Amino acid sequence: IIEGASKGKGRGKQVIAVARTSDLILMVVEAAKAELQAKLLTKELEDVGIRINCRPPDITYVIKKTGGIKFNSTVELTHCDEKLCRDILHMR
């Protein structure tokens, strides 16, 4: 992942799409620039909504028999809103 990948630079969207569907993201950085590179990688992933080293949000949902979704969050949502969560669940 290069700097600006979250904005589509250098096929960044394609690379990040692979990261989004993976079960594990392993960051390999140069020893001399490890701290800077880790910050840049984390920022690029967070810019597209991939949360690194964070607990999943406390959100529950129930798919209704009529095709709708009942959505409930027990904490204040800071990085996403109810509409974003519904859109993601509707893509299922």
Side-chain angles (χ1 to χ4, degrees), residues 15-22 25 45 48-50:
V15 173
I16 290 175
V18 172
R20 186 181 300 277
T21 60
S22 66
I25 297 175
L45 293 172
V48 294
I50 298 174

Side-chain angles (χ1 to χ4, degrees), residues 35-64:
E35 189 174 325
L36 174 66
Q37 288 180 347
K39 283 182 183 179
L40 288 173
L41 284 171
T42 302
K43 182 187 178 309
E44 290 295 330
L45 293 172
E46 287 178 350
D47 285 349
V48 294
I50 298 174
R51 298 163 46 115
I52 303 294
N53 296 329
C54 296
R55 291 185 53 217
D58 195 8
I59 298 173
T60 59
Y61 68 95
V62 176
I63 299 175
K64 296 179 181 179

Side-chain angles (χ1 to χ4, degrees), residues 10-30:
R11 292 188 179 252
K13 295 281 186 180
Q14 293 171 334
V15 173
I16 290 175
V18 172
R20 186 181 300 277
T21 60
S22 66
D23 293 328
L24 173 71
I25 297 175
L26 178 65
M27 292 188 197
V28 179
V29 296
E30 288 182 44

